Amino acid sequence: MNAKDDAQRRVLELLWKDARRPARGPRRGLTMERIVAAAIRIAETEGLAALSMRRVAVELGVGTASLYTYLPGKAELEALMADSIGADDPLPDDWPGDWRAKLEAWARNDHEGYRKHPWVLQLVATVAAPGPNLLRWMDSALRVLEGTGLTEAEKMAVVESVDAYVRGQARLSLDTRELSADEVRERDAALGELVDFRPYPALVATVRAGVSPYAGDQFEFGLRLLLDGVETLIASKRASTS
Amino acid sequence: MNAKDDAQRRVLELLWKDARRPARGPRRGLTMERIVAAAIRIAETEGLAALSMRRVAVELGVGTASLYTYLPGKAELEALMADSIGADDPLPDDWPGDWRAKLEAWARNDHEGYRKHPWVLQLVATVAAPGPNLLRWMDSALRVLEGTGLTEAEKMAVVESVDAYVRGQARLSLDTRELSADEVRERDAALGELVDFRPYPALVATVRAGVSPYAGDQFEFGLRLLLDGVETLIASKRASTS
DNA sequence: CAAAAACTTCGAACACTGTTCGTACAACTC
DNA sequence: GAGTTGTACGAACAGTGTTCGAAGTTTTTG
């Protein structure tokens, strides 16, 4: 599949090479940065569904077709958007404290980031074509675990597991968060009318105890569980080598 | 927002009420089940991007507009698709063994399910409007943790955390899994040409050790960490009450 | 038994989408 | 100044979800 290879390569070049101005031809009116910034602004304020090439062009005051002289297509724009978020956030290893404090801090920070910028979770691909920010982040995240006695493979596994957990929680709570409190009430009222709950006694017992499913307030709890697991692993490693 | 409330209600009615044939009018040529099955078949074989109302109509041999007499729109179709997957899978509490064996089994089963049916992860909403299958699943998952001494809130938190982790891992590995081995090689070759890796020493060290980032092979590792955390919690609960 | 009511079907159209093509224009090199 | 190379972008194409209205089908009513 040569076409796909080429597309792959083009994205990477866009992510890593900064465009040098060619010898001939008129001056370019736009920059990559401005295009990506405009696209993010739209996704942020109007949602990812409202992001279209035409809309971006309007935002920048240019014709739609002009964008295609900067970018091969919308997929590439999204790849650039994905890499550019979190560029201003502190890196994992820059947080204070020991490895656990750092892991906790960046997990919380990322989780908060995904809640504030939910469109990132809706992008189709976010790690397929790694950009500068992803590599910087990954490098820093691995450094957090230096000196813990974990092997390289274990470090990577820990980083990816926490990352997966953070994204997963953010994704789950996104569904519910898009509904207002009133809408949740309305939904539950409708459910009460439509559904016979007798087949779900365990669920009813939990809800009766005041717990609502997928409310998006379970992040800290699961994070502690996961980090407890990491701590156990590190402790056992230390015990066996000393 | 009355419109959104109405939409919400309509989805729930579609999920829970089975359509009764109205008094007058010609017999209906299709059923909800057939429509949803056709849509899933398309998503499965051609990907979610290929799923269009027109494509579904062709698959069923009807006119496109006819679908709208069964469904208000595509969003509702996707909600029905989301709820219908996993209908044939074993329920969490039906797996053999103790709570840990059961948690492990359904986590693995779901993870495998998401890898086989990646389109589920790309649907915009999957838990906002709960259908029969989601509630059955949730009820069974909560039952797994009965007799562990956990509070209702803790049970829900454990279930959601594991669910979040499973989905997060599946989502991360999806990006990489869409690339073939050749494409990954091609990508890494392109990266090697384009990127100066000196700013990322920790990452380089890990990759040199034979570990590749986001390869999608870290699921078991993180699951163990998470369940170790749950086990610690349950043990501490038991110790304090006895 | 015919007429009316209620419902289903679906071709055509509308407003959108991403993307391509061809033309008009601008800035540099020779 | 001529030629080359690249930019800008209006217009068009094929696709999308959805709506409308006319035509057809079944059941109930008068």
Side-chain angles (χ1 to χ4, degrees), chain B residues 101-233:
Chain B
K102 290 181 180 188
L103 265 179
E104 244 178 68
W106 71 249
R108 265 190 212 118
N109 184 70
D110 282 18
H111 187 246
E112 200 48 46
Y114 290 129
R115 303 191 100 180
K116 277 196 201 129
H117 316 296
W119 55 271
V120 182
L121 295 166
Q122 292 160 1
L123 290 177
V124 277
T126 50
V127 297
N133 284 313
L134 182 59
L135 289 203
R136 267 200 334 150
W137 180 91
M138 185 53 100
D139 182 72
S140 183
L142 288 169
R143 210 166 318 177
V144 168
L145 295 167
E146 271 173 13
T148 52
L150 296 180
T151 66
E152 296 297 316
E154 286 168 336
K155 283 188 216 166
M156 181 67 83
V158 168
V159 170
E160 280 183 35
S161 293
V162 174
D163 190 26
Y165 172 73
V166 170
R167 291 183 194 232
Q169 278 285 8
R171 183 67 188 68
L172 276 183
S173 59
L174 180 62
D175 282 11
T176 311
R177 271 172 60 80
E178 299 226 310
L179 278 60
S180 69
D182 272 356
E183 282 162 351
V184 171
R185 237 192 314 280
E186 173 65 33
R187 179 196 67 178
D188 292 346
L191 269 176
E193 280 177 50
L194 291 164
V195 180
D196 174 14
F197 282 102
R198 277 172 301 179
Y200 320 112
L203 180 56
V204 169
T206 304
V207 173
R208 282 248 171 81
V211 184
S212 50
Y214 296 118
D217 51 1
Q218 309 292 17
F219 174 72
E220 289 291 334
F221 182 93
L223 180 62
R224 185 148 37 82
L225 294 187
L226 193 53
L227 296 190
D228 282 349
V230 177
E231 188 146 2
T232 306
L233 175 69

Side-chain angles (χ1 to χ4, degrees), chain B residues 23-27 52-54 68 73-74:
Chain B
R24 270 163 255 219
R27 241 147 283 203
S52 71
M53 298 303 270
R54 273 171 247 264
Y68 287 87
K74 202 189 182 188

Side-chain angles (χ1 to χ4, degrees), chain A residues 23-24 27 52-54 68 73-74:
Chain A
R24 271 162 255 221
R27 240 148 284 200
S52 72
M53 298 302 268
R54 273 171 246 263
Y68 287 86
K74 200 190 182 188

Side-chain angles (χ1 to χ4, degrees), chain A residues 1 13 21 27 47 62 64 71 90-92 95 98 102 104-105 111 113 126 140 156 161 168-169 176 182 194 239 241:
Chain A
M1 210 155 282
E13 285 182 2
R21 195 166 167 287
R27 240 148 284 200
V62 300
T64 309
L71 290 155
L91 288 169
W95 295 99
D98 64 349
K102 290 181 179 187
E104 245 177 68
H111 187 245
T126 52
S140 184
M156 181 66 83
S161 294
Q169 278 285 9
T176 311
D182 271 357
L194 291 165
T241 50

